[in-house]
Amino acid sequence: MPKQLKPFIEGLAVGCVFISITMLFEIPLYISFIIGALAALGGYRNSIKMDREKAAKKEQNQPNTSKQDVE
């Protein structure tokens, strides 16, 4: 899966889940769509944040070839 497409798919999945959950409570459909859109936006932003944190953690765990290693 392309790296740019992953956050969109995760955000869409979160939005769909929230829409289906809110529809169980029999609230108006337009409110369910608003909640789903906000959840999709949050899922998108969270996916990007988690990818950045994962990359930073991977960088941090990589062994460095600093002066201490050379000596």
Side-chain angles (χ1 to χ4, degrees):
M1 176 178 354
K3 208 170 197 177
Q4 293 84 9
L5 189 61
K6 183 182 173 196
F8 289 114
I9 292 175
E10 288 184 9
L12 184 63
V14 170
C16 290
V17 167
F18 270 81
I19 288 173
S20 61
I21 289 172
T22 56
M23 289 180 71
L24 289 173
F25 296 110
E26 297 179 5
I27 61 173
L29 185 63
Y30 70 94
I31 294 176
S32 292
F33 284 136
I34 291 171
I35 293 170
L38 292 173
L41 180 63
Y44 171 77
R45 293 182 65 194
N46 188 44
S47 177
I48 291 173
K49 184 178 88 170
M50 295 296 285
D51 288 344
R52 285 182 187 158
E53 289 176 358
K54 189 176 181 182
K57 188 174 182 181
K58 185 183 276 188
E59 254 183 46
Q60 186 180 19
N61 289 338
Q62 293 293 329
N64 293 353
T65 54
S66 63
K67 290 181 181 179
Q68 293 175 350
D69 292 341
V70 174
E71 294 174 359

